[in-house]
Amino acid sequence: MLKISFTAFFSIVLLGAVKYFTVTEPVIKANPATVHHTALKQTGLQNWPDGLTVTPFAGPDLTPSPACLATAPTGEVFVGVDMMGSLGKAPGKGRILRLVDADNDGKIDQHTEFARVDNPRGIFVLGDKVYVLHTIFSKETQKATGMDLVVFEDKDRDGIADGPSKPIVEHLSNPNMLVDRGTDHATNGIRMGIDGWIYIAVGDFGFHDAVDRSGKKLTMLGGGIVRVRPDGTELEIFSHGTRNIYDVAIDPYMNVFTRDNTNDGGGWNIRFSHHIQSGEYGYPLLFQHFTDEILPALVDVGGGSGTGALFMDEPTWPEKYNHVPMMADWGRSELYIHRVTPNGASFTQKQEDFITLPQITDLDVDGSGRLYLSAWDGAGYEGSPAKGYVVRAVPAGWTYKAFPNLKAASVDELAGLLSSASAVARFYASQELLVRPVTQAAKASLAVASNTSLPLFARVAGIYTYAQIAGANGVPALVKLTEDKELKEFALKVLADRTGYLQDVPTAPFIAALKDASPRVQAEAIIGLGRLGRSEAANALLETKVPASFIAPAKGTEGPHATPNADIVLPHLAVRTLVSLNAVTACVNNIGTKNSALALWALRYMHDAKAVDGLIAAYKAAKSPKLKKQILATLGRLYKTEAPYDGSWWWSTRPDSHGPYYKAITWESSPKIKAFLTAERGKASPAGKQFYADLNARDRMEIAAFGGEEKAPVVKEAKIDLEKIRNKKGQIGKSSIEDIMLALAKLKGDPAKGKALFAQQGCIACHSIKKGEKLKGPFMGQIGSIMTRQQIAESILKPSASISQGFATVTVTAKGNKTYMGFITEESAQKIVMRDIGGNVYTVKTGDIISRKEMKTSMMPTGLASALSYEEFASLVTFLSLQK
């Protein structure tokens, strides 16, 4: 989650606050801060949009280091306080607080400690149940054993959990990495959709053998989204191939959006993505050199660190801020709006600045339209008792309107709320209908879904509610709704949504929908056929058109992994479905036909002996040289496969992203592939042999006779005597950091002089600033979009206080009595590449490593800027701040 530790200068936010009383009773009366939002503006660190009133809600005395929050529809705010942060490893430092504004004046009247948990990372409130995602520690060893999604109950509504939590899903993160690193790339936010699934944002620690309440086990290498029913059953992967997402935003039509969480200086910029079920987004193995095979993100916005997310859909909010994904960015201290526009089965987007808040972590809205936002505010890697707070934002002129008492509402009244303009009201009315008498509730929700005079969002709420209530008995009505042009997409989705009654769902509506005029309908038909497991649909799926944009990046280049490509969505989904159906025979039979491109694309992932035999037979029968090359390329891709993930490792913040595999191994048909390719290469001309060399390099087949393996050029770099530099004395070296910051605020600096100083002060020994330059230490080419001038200055003056993830100093002891100290610039299953403080590069085989230890101090020495004057230092900082 928290990617860079900044010290933010925001302590004056709550200077007017009255201290909260010590917690001695379950419910505490409090007199919180009353500082108005205009006073907050004067700090210069906030940017409140026009038409909003933003006021403090809870200060660091009550909610220090708030990592996550959630609201009940009735306004209670649950805040996850996390004094462990992203790198802490000791238990007993987390809790969930329940905050109550009983008279709705924007000030807390009561608060309770709802529950004690370690490392809370996601919260969701559902009636008297509170779902929490957090780290689990062993009582015996005091070490992390994984992350669990649990549920607490508060049936007496006293603000304190009735007892211990009950697990929903266990082992949702990698315990080895939690022990080694903390939760920085672990599993994070949770949110429930109107479809009744809990969606979970998984960082690229991934997980091994997560287990749900039915006993089902699931493993995921890398990051993505998983989902589970609220009773802890039907755990499944929804999408895959993100790096470190922290939360999901879900719109009324079940479109899911994320903001990827980066900042490690390796070019892993922030990507805003629309997640389509079964989609592969490519990090880290495909998103550079195999981008033809992935669903691209909608935009790359440069450096940052995505955190909380919310789709705002509340009628009390101004239209210009409504019906939009709101995405928090901790690294940029900004809440962004992404204006999304439909584009085929996906979207295009436009990002806009919205609310500035120091290291914002999360946000949620209640049923009356009150938006609550939490800020880390410089609490550091491991949390701070004196940093962090929660603010409330409401539209100007907002007046409180009580959320309906759903328990007292009739079924007809609840059905009426499915047509509310409030997403919060629709969701909680839907959930209440699920516990009402089945016949009556099903009839009422189906009536809403079938009412063509209602807005689409209401009908969608109706169909999702009906599907959950009716179960298998609802299949006939849902099949009928596939004939409704407006609802066809959603009817297909809910028909294939639940595993318990798929056998009752007919194939015909899905086959027919493959020819529908709407790409969104086609997408749901393709996904649904995969979920239904109907292999007889393979030939129909193979007719999906592959666009001209299906082109692999040129050798040595990076493909467009963050450029919207609506045309690739349907064939991508068709391939994912064909693979899930293991449609080997159908794909082989379509080689050389008009469907050949899609068939060969799908065969890349079918590590099946029948696929290999079929490809070799098709090659021998092929007449076209182009087709022959495509078949050879497919065989080359199949030569190796990814090793089964056992959870014992992680690919680090600086992975080898060449692809297509990380821990590549051979399998039963590898010898046959090698023999066939070797024989065909033997028939090739000297020029023709280059094809095999390129194939060997691209797929990392490691067949020495083919050649083509990439060798990094040896670059002789200037050696910098950093010790000599650090011992020089000047104004900066003689001043306190406070005086330096005061001077920096008054001095603009000359970026041209700063650029020269960047070289003169030795910064170039460990940092590059231009794309295309060899990465050394943290990349500075986008630092201005991640840090303010003050934060950049602090990172120079106190380097060990803000070590960028992936650039901690590492000491490695290897065989042969060798020791290396530096930071990791590249890591794969076979080797690590290190760079020391003098710029020397070392490659160490993984098998030779005896020990590896991460140091707590930066390799960058303090005092590098000590010889500078105030003006020179301001120039250096200004130059870096312009690198965006």
Side-chain angles (χ1 to χ4, degrees):
M1 162 195 145
L2 308 178
K3 312 304 297 176
I4 300 180
S5 175
F6 305 145
T7 301
F9 302 92
F10 197 72
S11 58
I12 63 174
V13 169
L14 297 172
L15 284 179
V18 176
K19 298 272 186 185
Y20 290 92
F21 296 111
T22 304
V23 178
T24 56
E25 296 178 330
V27 179
I28 313 299
K29 298 291 183 180
N31 182 15
T34 57
V35 182
H36 192 264
H37 75 286
T38 53
L40 297 182
K41 269 188 168 183
Q42 293 171 4
T43 67
L45 291 175
Q46 268 65 36
N47 178 25
W48 309 132
D50 294 335
L52 293 187
T53 299
V54 184
T55 53
F57 190 67
D61 291 334
L62 184 59
T63 56
S65 308
C68 54
L69 63 76
T71 62
T74 46
E76 298 84 357
V77 183
F78 292 78
V79 181
V81 170
D82 182 16
M83 299 299 295
M84 201 181 335
S86 62
L87 296 184
K89 301 167 187 176
K93 299 180 180 181
R95 61 188 185 274
I96 307 294
L97 292 174
R98 178 178 178 266
L99 314 178
V100 180
D101 174 11
D103 56 5
N104 307 298
D105 63 352
K107 303 172 186 176
I108 299 171
D109 303 301
Q110 302 172 352
H111 72 269
T112 53
E113 183 176 283
F114 180 78
R116 286 212 167 246
V117 297
D118 288 309
N119 239 170
R121 275 296 179 267
I123 309 173
F124 187 80
V125 184
L126 188 61
D128 56 12
K129 296 180 178 179
V130 178
Y131 291 83
V132 180
L133 178 73
H134 71 102
T135 305
I136 304 296
F137 281 80
S138 164
K139 292 181 180 179
E140 291 74 27
T141 67
Q142 297 291 289
K143 291 184 177 181
T145 59
M147 297 188 80
D148 289 0
L149 174 62
V150 304
V151 62
F152 292 94
E153 287 190 290
D154 181 17
K155 291 184 178 180
D156 57 8
R157 299 297 181 96
D158 65 350
I160 302 173
D162 295 338
S165 64
K166 297 178 182 178
I168 299 298
V169 183
E170 297 173 276
H171 312 307
L172 265 171
S173 191
N174 185 320
N176 297 298
M177 297 305 110
L178 293 173
V179 170
D180 185 50
R181 297 182 56 88
T183 61
D184 62 338
H185 284 243
T187 305
N188 299 299
I190 56 175
R191 191 171 293 277
M192 190 182 288
I194 193 72
D195 61 353
W197 290 87
I198 299 174
Y199 289 78
I200 307 168
V202 180
D204 71 331
F205 278 170
F207 54 82
H208 177 258
D209 278 354
V211 60
D212 72 5
R213 292 310 86 208
S214 71
K216 177 182 178 180
K217 291 185 177 181
L218 190 68
T219 292
M220 186 162 78
L221 169 61
I225 298 173
V226 299
R227 66 178 192 169
V228 69
R229 301 304 296 182
D231 64 356
T233 61
E234 301 183 58
L235 179 68
E236 62 182 36
I237 294 173
F238 181 78
S239 61
H240 179 262
T242 53
R243 183 172 186 268
N244 198 16
I245 54 175
Y246 192 75
D247 204 357
V248 296
I250 307 174
D251 80 359
Y253 310 104
M254 288 310 304
N255 293 298
V256 180
F257 302 96
T258 67
R259 187 177 178 92
D260 215 343
N261 183 334
T262 72
N263 248 352
D264 289 352
W268 333 127
N269 290 341
I270 283 290
R271 291 176 293 280
F272 174 72
S273 299
H274 169 219
H275 284 254
I276 302 176
Q277 190 170 10
S278 77
E280 170 58 54
Y281 292 80
Y283 180 86
L285 305 175
L286 304 177
F287 87 118
Q288 287 188 334
H289 305 304
F290 299 83
T291 48
D292 51 322
E293 302 180 23
I294 70 172
L295 287 182
L298 300 186
V299 68
D300 180 327
V301 293
S305 186
T307 43
L310 169 74
F311 192 94
M312 175 61 76
D313 192 38
E314 296 302 315
T316 55
W317 274 68
E319 189 64 24
K320 63 180 176 179
Y321 305 139
N322 206 12
H323 315 303
V324 289
M326 293 181 174
M327 315 298 289
D329 195 300
W330 186 91
R332 296 186 176 196
S333 295
E334 186 77 24
L335 179 65
Y336 291 96
I337 281 174
H338 290 268
R339 302 209 181 273
V340 292
T341 303
N343 180 30
S346 187
F347 297 89
T348 58
Q349 69 79 52
K350 182 180 179 182
Q351 176 181 282
E352 298 176 10
D353 295 355
F354 182 40
I355 294 177
T356 301
L357 205 62
Q359 295 179 327
I360 179 172
T361 54
D362 208 357
L363 66 156
D364 202 8
V365 66
D366 71 8
S368 64
R370 290 173 286 196
L371 178 68
Y372 294 90
L373 309 99
S374 55
W376 196 252
D377 188 29
Y381 275 131
E382 300 184 20
S384 166
K387 291 284 188 177
Y389 54 86
V390 176
V391 299
R392 188 192 79 159
V394 294
W398 174 90
T399 56
Y400 172 73
K401 183 178 179 181
F403 190 75
N405 182 348
L406 299 182
K407 293 293 183 187
S410 68
V411 167
D412 287 343
E413 287 170 332
L414 291 169
L417 284 172
L418 294 180
S419 301
S420 169
S422 163
V424 173
R426 294 194 301 272
F427 172 81
Y428 283 99
S430 173
Q431 287 295 311
E432 181 62 27
L433 280 167
L434 299 185
V435 299
R436 296 303 178 91
V438 170
T439 301
Q440 189 181 359
K443 181 180 178 181
S445 54
L446 180 60
V448 173
S450 304
N451 189 342
T452 57
S453 67
L454 292 176
L456 182 59
F457 63 75
R459 301 187 69 197
V460 169
I463 196 171
Y464 279 120
T465 305
Y466 174 73
Q468 293 176 75
I469 295 169
N473 294 329
V475 170
L478 293 172
V479 170
K480 181 68 175 175
L481 286 174
T482 64
E483 300 171 9
D484 184 312
K485 185 177 179 181
E486 263 199 334
L487 275 194
K488 184 182 294 187
E489 165 193 345
F490 309 100
L492 291 169
K493 188 176 181 71
V494 296
L495 276 168
D497 201 39
R498 302 293 300 278
T499 57
Y501 55 83
L502 294 180
Q503 69 278 0
D504 300 321
V505 178
T507 307
F510 294 85
I511 297 293
L514 293 175
K515 302 295 184 182
D516 196 89
S518 166
R520 291 185 65 92
V521 170
Q522 292 179 56
E524 290 304 337
I526 292 168
I527 296 166
L529 287 167
R531 294 184 63 77
L532 293 173
R534 306 292 161 80
S535 57
E536 66 268 24
N539 285 318
L541 289 163
L542 281 159
E543 293 180 10
T544 308
K545 183 181 178 182
V546 177
S549 59
F550 180 64
I551 301 174
K555 182 180 178 181
T557 64
E558 182 174 309
H561 56 77
T563 303
N565 183 1
D567 291 340
I568 207 67
V569 173
L570 297 180
H572 177 94
L573 297 176
V575 165
R576 306 313 305 168
T577 290
L578 288 164
V579 173
S580 72
L581 296 174
N582 195 33
V584 173
T585 301
C587 289
V588 167
N589 289 343
N590 274 271
I591 297 172
T593 71
K594 61 184 178 64
N595 304 326
S596 186
L598 193 73
L600 288 169
W601 181 0
L603 283 164
R604 296 179 189 186
Y605 317 112
M606 296 181 182
H607 288 82
D608 187 302
K610 290 189 296 184
V612 173
D613 291 342
L615 283 162
I616 291 173
Y619 179 87
K620 293 176 180 177
K623 305 298 182 185
S624 162
K626 180 180 179 181
L627 178 59
K628 282 179 172 286
K629 278 192 171 184
Q630 291 172 338
I631 295 171
L632 291 172
T634 307
L635 285 166
R637 179 62 173 274
L638 288 173
Y639 177 66
K640 286 192 174 181
T641 187
E642 190 71 57
Y645 183 52
D646 62 4
S648 65
W649 58 273
W650 173 57
W651 42 48
S652 85
T653 57
R654 305 295 297 279
D656 177 352
S657 54
H658 180 284
Y661 309 111
Y662 191 77
K663 279 198 169 186
I665 58 173
T666 54
W667 59 291
E668 62 176 287
S669 290
S670 295
K672 180 178 286 188
I673 294 172
K674 181 178 180 180
F676 180 75
L677 293 178
T678 300
E680 292 305 308
R681 178 180 177 274
K683 302 173 188 176
S685 65
K689 286 182 171 58
Q690 185 60 44
F691 170 81
Y692 295 88
D694 292 343
L695 194 64
N696 196 37
R698 174 176 168 79
D699 292 328
R700 292 193 166 177
M701 299 164 66
E702 297 182 308
I703 300 176
F706 286 12
E709 293 191 37
E710 298 173 1
K711 293 182 179 179
V714 178
V715 179
K716 188 174 182 180
E717 299 183 20
K719 296 295 187 291
I720 307 296
D721 188 347
L722 296 176
E723 284 299 318
K724 184 177 181 181
I725 293 172
R726 69 181 289 178
N727 291 328
K728 292 182 180 179
K729 304 296 181 183
Q731 284 178 293
I732 296 298
K734 297 175 182 178
S735 302
S736 69
I737 191 168
E738 292 82 5
D739 287 341
I740 295 170
M741 292 302 175
L742 289 171
L744 191 64
K746 297 177 182 178
L747 298 172
K748 292 184 178 180
D750 181 346
K753 290 181 180 178
K755 182 177 182 179
L757 286 163
F758 185 80
Q760 293 169 16
Q761 295 303 116
C763 306
I764 58 171
C766 294
H767 302 286
S768 52
I769 58 173
K770 292 181 180 178
K771 285 187 176 181
E773 292 180 340
K774 185 173 179 63
L775 287 171
K776 307 170 185 177
F779 179 58
M780 294 290 113
Q782 61 192 29
I783 193 67
S785 67
I786 300 170
M787 288 180 165
T788 65
R789 290 178 81 236
Q790 290 86 354
Q791 290 163 345
I792 293 170
E794 185 199 13
S795 70
I796 297 170
L797 298 170
K798 299 194 298 180
S800 292
S802 55
I803 304 171
S804 185
Q805 293 282 346
F807 297 98
T809 305
V810 175
T811 300
V812 170
T813 303
K815 294 177 181 177
N817 198 29
K818 295 179 180 178
T819 301
Y820 307 89
M821 179 180 288
F823 50 78
I824 307 297
T825 61
E826 182 183 320
E827 183 164 357
S828 71
Q830 293 77 34
K831 65 182 181 181
I832 61 171
V833 181
M834 301 180 66
R835 176 179 291 269
D836 69 13
I837 192 66
N840 301 300
V841 177
Y842 303 96
T843 298
V844 186
K845 292 181 179 179
T846 306
D848 290 343
I849 295 175
I850 298 172
S851 66
R852 171 175 169 173
K853 184 178 181 181
E854 190 169 290
M855 313 300 288
K856 292 186 177 181
T857 55
S858 173
M859 194 165 64
M860 174 178 170
T862 56
L864 289 182
S866 295
L868 301 181
S869 66
Y870 284 151
E871 180 65 38
E872 288 173 327
F873 187 66
S875 296
L876 176 60
V877 170
T878 297
F879 166 70
L880 291 171
S881 72
L882 295 176
Q883 306 308 307
K884 298 183 179 182

